Each structure stands twice: as C-alpha cells, then as structure tokens.
Amino acid sequence: MSPVISIADLRKVYRVRGREVTALDGVDLHVHEGEVYGVVGTSGAGKSTLIRCVNMLERPTSGTITVDGLELTRLAGQGPRAGRELRAARRRIGMVFQHFNLLSSRTVQDNVELPLEIIGLDRTERRRKAAELLDLVGLADKARVYPAQLSGGQKQRVGIARALAGDPKVLLSDEATSALDPETTRSILELLRDLGRQLDLTVLLITHEMDVIKSVCDSAALMRDGRVVESGRLADLLATPGSELARELFPLGDLPGTGRAGTVLEITFQGDTAAQPFISQLARTYNVDLNILGAAVETIGGRQVGRMRVELPGSFEQNVVPIGFLREQGLQVDVAGHRTEAAA
C-alpha cells in the first residue's frame, strides 16, 4: 500500500547573512493511511521546517513531497494552473499550530468558518459545517464567544475544528500541545487520536516531548541536525536492538554499580508477554538470584509495552541457558554487558 505522505531526499537550505544554513539534509519519511506519525527531536533539529514543507508553506530546495498521490513539489512555481492545483491540494491538508493563530476580532464560529469563506462556500453551508465541527471538538456552547474568553485548551480545540473545515485527508500538528499544561495536553492528544480514527485521518505531528509519542503515535521518527536518524513503527522500534528511540521512550537510567560480577540484560516485552511472570519463572526454574536494575512500562496503542534491565550473577557463558529461556518466552533479550567485580 502506497504511503499517504511520502518524502524523498528532501533538502531545505536557507541563506542567512550571506552563508548557507541547511535545515533539512536528505530527509526520507513515509506515513501510511490512518497512522498517527510523530517526528521528535530537540530545538533546531528541523522538525518545524519539515512539517511546513509538507504543505508547501516552505518551498524545499530539492527533493519530492507526495501527499495522497499528488507530488506537491512538482506544482510549486509551475504557472497558474499548477498554482491552482497546489491550492486545491493544500485544502486537503489541515494544519494545527502551536500558538492557535485565532483572529481575536472574530467569534469562535467565525474563526472556524474562515477557511470556508476563502473557498467561497455560501453562508448557510458555512454555518452548518462550523456548528458540526465545534460539536465534534466539544465546543458547541462556545460558538458565539471570542478567543480571549477561552482557555488554552479550548483555543486549541477551535484551531483543530478550523483545520478540519476543508475535510482534509491529512492533518498536520506543529507542536500543538507545547503551550498547554499536562492535563490539557492529554485531552488534546486524545482528541487528535480519536478524530483520526473517527474521520479516517492520517496525522503527522511534530514534538520535542517523548510523552507525546508514547501517548498517541503509531510510528515515529527521530530527527537530529536536519536528518532522520531513526524511524519506524513503535512496536518495531522496541524490538530493534540498540534503538535510540526505544531507549528515549523507555529510559532505564545509567547502569549502577552493584559490587559484584554479573551479566547485564536488557529485556523488551510487549503484548501478551507483558502479562507473563517471566522474572519469577526464571528465578524458580534456574534457582538464580536476579538483580533488577531498572524498568519502564507504558501502554501504547492499547498494548502494554516496556523494557527492563536485569543482572544475572556470573559470566555470559554461565547464563546461556537462562537467556535462552527468556527468549523462548517471546521476549527480546539483549546482552548489555558483562561486569567483573573490579569494574562493578
């Protein structure tokens, strides 16, 4: 199945005070239908530039962007007809902004109606559509108030309703929760996830918070210095030895000293294996004393997933059988190292 969003070898170079600054450096990204896909990274990683290129608010220097089968980069700067096609394509891409971007002089309903005015929808149809969308985001009773009378979470709900006005196939979210408190953030993320399922949307969001990725995303990409350094479905990333995203999503902390020799294992579990008492079974079966050095467990997409770091006494060679037992239980087991007494 072809991706709804396909980005290939994307580059964006700015000229700043006579020198070139590369914001995107050969980005490849593929988002499939119905996915909630998160792009995470620190400030300056290129996330905002990437998402603004997807709807052509920023024109890429090179590379291709295809959304719902239409190559948007081909249309940019190709004359009036291509310009009309690009504008029509943009209407199928909703955008939710970090700072809401609501017009303070317009009521909530009028803000939602704005994109419908731009495309020339008649007043009766605009009113009907806006009322329907406000009900969808839980703000039917706020239609006649002004943005200054709303909380931050309510303003973002208005922004989401406005982004949905054109019946988009794709919804882009540019740090939509970074200005909100944790409780409001959770409610907005749940709304985005539920709307994605209800309206059959493909959602691409950017964030600097790993909690956002854990809460709502099916897949994720880690960006650094304008490049995607790792990407994939969360379930696959968790099963990938050495995954940086998995470590960031489920941090186990630094390896503490124990004062004894041992073999350190990092165990990843998800789905049915998360409910199995594999640690106690291992201890009873092989009469071994395990030292639990760290653990992180979360629920992602309705499935319990997590990582655990344990230490078995003795060398790797002495623990081959217990390690094999854990792998037979369907667990991913990576040997993180062997510590001698001198190094402990």
Side-chain angles (χ1 to χ4, degrees):
M1 182 173 62
S2 298
V4 173
I5 302 173
S6 185
I7 300 169
D9 198 22
L10 194 68
R11 288 178 53 82
K12 176 64 180 180
V13 179
Y14 295 98
R15 290 198 65 83
V16 181
R17 297 176 183 175
R19 65 187 183 92
E20 291 189 346
V21 177
T22 301
L24 299 175
D25 189 7
V27 170
D28 294 300
L29 202 68
H30 305 287
V31 185
H32 290 88
E33 185 174 4
E35 273 193 316
V36 179
Y37 198 112
V39 179
V40 66
T42 57
S43 296
K47 308 183 304 296
S48 291
T49 302
L50 173 65
I51 205 165
R52 289 172 64 85
C53 283
V54 172
N55 61 4
M56 302 302 288
L57 290 175
E58 293 278 0
R59 300 294 174 93
T61 303
S62 62
T64 61
I65 300 170
T66 302
V67 178
D68 198 21
L70 185 63
E71 187 183 324
L72 303 186
T73 38
R74 179 180 58 82
L75 301 177
Q78 296 296 316
R81 179 177 177 181
R84 287 192 297 272
E85 290 181 10
L86 180 57
R87 287 191 294 273
R90 279 175 170 160
R91 289 199 290 270
R92 299 287 287 163
I93 304 172
M95 183 80 167
V96 183
F97 297 93
Q98 177 180 358
H99 296 297
F100 321 131
N101 288 4
L102 303 180
L103 298 178
S104 60
S105 61
R106 282 177 169 251
T107 66
V108 164
Q109 173 132 354
D110 290 339
N111 267 280
V112 178
E113 286 186 31
L114 181 59
L116 301 175
E117 287 182 36
I118 293 171
I119 64 175
L121 207 64
D122 68 75
R123 181 172 180 175
T124 300
E125 186 60 20
R126 291 200 312 265
R127 296 272 167 162
R128 183 200 65 78
K129 183 70 173 178
E132 177 184 292
L133 290 170
L134 287 172
D135 183 58
L136 193 63
V137 299
L139 290 179
D141 61 334
K142 302 294 185 182
R144 307 315 304 167
V145 307
Y146 288 86
Q149 299 169 268
L150 301 177
S151 68
Q154 289 171 329
K155 289 177 184 178
Q156 195 55 282
R157 287 173 181 265
V158 177
I160 292 171
R162 183 183 56 192
L164 297 174
D167 296 320
K169 176 82 172 181
V170 169
L171 185 64
L172 308 179
S173 171
D174 184 3
E175 296 272 15
T177 61
S178 63
L180 304 176
D181 62 79
E183 184 176 350
T184 305
T185 291
R186 283 192 296 272
S187 70
I188 294 298
L189 291 174
E190 289 171 2
L191 177 63
L192 287 174
R193 183 187 60 210
D194 293 344
L195 288 173
R197 293 170 179 170
Q198 186 175 346
L199 302 178
D200 195 25
L201 291 169
T202 299
V203 181
L204 176 63
L205 62 86
I206 65 169
T207 183
H208 62 275
E209 300 174 272
M210 285 293 172
D211 282 345
V212 172
I213 301 295
K214 286 191 285 190
S215 297
V216 72
C217 294
D218 304 300
S219 300
L222 175 63
M223 285 195 72
R224 187 182 298 120
D225 298 328
R227 293 175 175 270
V228 172
V229 297
E230 188 178 17
S231 64
R233 292 188 62 82
L234 292 190
D236 296 335
L237 291 169
L238 289 170
T240 302
S243 167
E244 188 172 345
L245 263 171
R247 289 198 304 271
E248 293 289 336
L249 286 167
F250 298 95
L252 299 178
D254 295 330
L255 190 62
T258 63
R260 66 175 186 178
T263 301
V264 179
L265 308 177
E266 291 189 355
I267 303 169
T268 303
F269 50 90
Q270 54 185 309
D272 294 339
T273 60
Q276 301 302 316
F278 54 86
I279 291 296
S280 60
Q281 288 175 351
L282 177 64
R284 287 197 308 268
T285 302
Y286 295 98
N287 192 28
V288 61
D289 293 325
L290 295 97
N291 187 16
I292 297 176
L293 304 178
V297 182
E298 298 282 351
T299 299
I300 295 180
R303 303 178 71 203
Q304 195 174 48
V305 298
R307 297 175 66 229
M308 177 180 290
R309 181 184 291 143
V310 302
E311 185 176 37
L312 302 177
S315 67
F316 171 76
E317 289 76 13
Q318 293 172 306
N319 287 297
V320 168
V321 174
I323 292 171
F325 170 82
L326 291 171
R327 288 172 173 162
E328 287 173 358
Q329 311 311 305
L331 303 165
Q332 178 189 320
V333 182
D334 300 312
V335 180
H338 174 240
R339 303 193 302 182
T340 65
E341 290 186 9

